[in-house]
Amino acid sequence: MIKGCKTSKAASIVLRGPNEFFLDEVERAVHDSLCVVKRTLESNAVVPGGGAVEAALSIYLENFATTLASREQLAIAEFAQALLVIPKQLAVNAACDATELVSTLRAHHYKAQTDETKKAFSNHGLDLVKGVVRNNLEHGVLEPALSKTKSIQFATEAAITILRIDDMIKINPKAPEEH
């Protein structure tokens, strides 16, 4: 990074590496990192990462679903289960025991929502280096709130769109030609 310019409105990052493929990957990583910083500054809010938001929302929706006595209960409960795909996949990608980690994470978030003395558990997410559940807010594992809100919103809209499709398109195979 080049520092000490007369104006501080711009900065340059010089990348060096063994080949062009490596530099392309590093450039993409730097670009993604800068976009995260930009998104964080735009939203002016962060949430704990490591599946914390998905686990908390899943527990909340499961509890809410039990208050309904209609078919909507099943849809809400399935959506709550679908949210857990994110922490499960994070654990699988890190070669951790996904079942153990996600069940522990769910237990922490359940306690945070039902026990006033355990409110600090609401910031707990996955530590994929050590394979444990920890307070990700204290450890600096954060995500921009705007990105998290948008990703859940877009996923919900996609699911609703799929559910609204009520026609099935069938492709008729060609009938064998008769000679």
Side-chain angles (χ1 to χ4, degrees):
M1 192 134 149
I2 301 171
K3 296 181 179 180
C5 300
K6 290 183 181 182
T7 62
S8 62
K9 294 189 185 239
S12 296
I13 300 174
V14 179
L15 303 174
R16 293 183 61 203
N19 57 41
E20 199 168 327
F21 299 112
F22 178 79
L23 287 174
D24 287 343
E25 286 301 314
V26 171
E27 182 183 3
R28 273 192 284 279
V30 168
H31 180 267
D32 291 346
S33 300
L34 291 173
C35 287
V36 168
V37 170
K38 176 184 170 233
R39 183 70 73 154
T40 303
L41 293 173
E42 285 175 351
S43 68
N44 203 24
V46 292
V47 293
V53 172
E54 291 84 356
L57 187 56
S58 174
I59 295 295
Y60 178 82
L61 288 174
E62 282 179 0
N63 291 337
F64 174 70
T66 59
T67 65
L68 302 174
S70 64
R71 292 181 185 187
E72 293 167 343
Q73 179 186 48
L74 299 174
I76 292 170
E78 287 299 318
F79 186 79
Q81 283 299 313
L83 286 169
L84 294 176
V85 169
I86 300 295
K88 283 179 190 172
Q89 196 60 50
L90 288 171
V92 167
N93 289 352
C96 296
D97 183 1
T99 305
E100 179 69 27
L101 279 177
V102 173
S103 61
T104 305
L105 182 63
R106 285 176 40 80
H108 282 231
H109 283 280
Y110 179 80
K111 289 175 188 171
Q113 293 179 23
T114 57
D115 186 353
E116 288 294 324
T117 63
K118 307 284 186 188
K119 284 291 184 191
F121 282 11
S122 64
N123 296 322
H124 284 203
L126 302 177
D127 175 359
L128 299 173
V129 175
K130 295 179 183 174
V132 296
V133 175
R134 68 170 183 196
N135 187 330
N136 277 348
L137 191 62
E138 287 179 1
H139 287 86
V141 180
L142 306 170
E143 297 181 60
L146 183 63
S147 294
K148 186 58 69 178
T149 303
K150 291 287 185 188
S151 65
I152 292 172
Q153 182 181 19
F154 291 150
T156 304
E157 288 172 3
I160 290 169
T161 301
I162 291 169
L163 291 173
R164 284 189 179 152
I165 298 173
D166 58 356
D167 292 333
M168 187 167 71
I169 300 170
K170 291 185 181 181
I171 299 175
N172 292 329
K174 292 183 180 179
E177 295 180 21
E178 296 180 23
H179 296 291

